Amino acid sequence: MIWYYYLNYRIYKFYERKGDSMPSLFSFLGSVILLSLNIFSILVVVDFSYPFLLLGNKYYVLVLMGILAILNYLVLYRGGYYKEVFEDFDRAGDRYKYLNKYVSIYIISSIFLFLVVLLIADYRFDGHL
């Protein structure tokens, strides 16, 4: 769970440094979108192999994003718990610095995987890129 909290923390700090007025909203939405991209990519790959499962329906994706948003809120943002967790990361200093590269790799690889799956889906259904 620490890794997931740290992902939210890094997104929060990014938007806080930019001077945004709502970094907590952006960290909330950013983590939900990244998780949704990963799960959606996996579902599309499974749907390529087993098309009868109908996993690529847009309503499933919306329900999935809603469930992830609710879980994210309950686990980290309800009652301002994120402030306590993020302050702990600030106080810990170098103890969690090793997670910086993993969070960056996760964000970049999530976007890359999603783009690759989109290219494969486009090629598969249209026959050209």
Side-chain angles (χ1 to χ4, degrees):
M1 219 46 188
I2 293 292
W3 187 86
Y4 183 71
Y5 289 165
Y6 197 76
L7 172 67
N8 281 275
Y9 169 75
R10 292 299 300 163
I11 296 170
Y12 178 87
K13 285 297 182 182
F14 174 78
Y15 284 107
E16 188 178 60
R17 278 192 310 271
K18 284 182 62 175
D20 278 306
S21 61
M22 299 182 300
S24 58
L25 176 66
F26 292 129
S27 68
F28 174 81
L29 292 175
S31 60
V32 169
I33 289 171
L34 284 171
L35 285 173
S36 297
L37 285 178
N38 289 331
I39 294 172
F40 179 71
S41 297
I42 291 168
L43 289 178
V44 169
V45 169
V46 168
D47 192 50
F48 288 161
S49 303
Y50 305 102
F52 57 87
L53 294 177
L54 300 173
L55 296 174
N57 190 326
K58 63 183 171 187
Y59 300 113
Y60 291 134
V61 173
L62 291 175
V63 169
L64 171 71
M65 288 183 81
I67 291 170
L68 288 174
I70 291 169
L71 289 174
N72 192 19
Y73 174 76
L74 292 175
V75 168
L76 187 58
Y77 290 93
R78 182 178 50 166
Y81 180 63
Y82 74 95
K83 293 176 186 175
E84 180 182 326
V85 172
F86 293 172
E87 286 175 6
D88 183 46
F89 285 132
D90 284 335
R91 282 191 302 265
D94 293 337
R95 191 169 67 180
Y96 296 108
K97 287 290 184 185
Y98 72 96
L99 290 174
N100 282 341
K101 68 179 175 181
Y102 295 118
V103 167
S104 298
I105 290 170
Y106 172 73
I107 292 170
I108 292 168
S109 62
S110 294
I111 294 169
F112 180 75
L113 174 67
F114 183 70
L115 291 175
V116 167
V117 168
L118 282 178
L119 287 173
I120 292 170
D122 185 47
Y123 181 75
R124 182 172 177 203
F125 295 115
D126 289 342
H128 60 338
L129 293 176

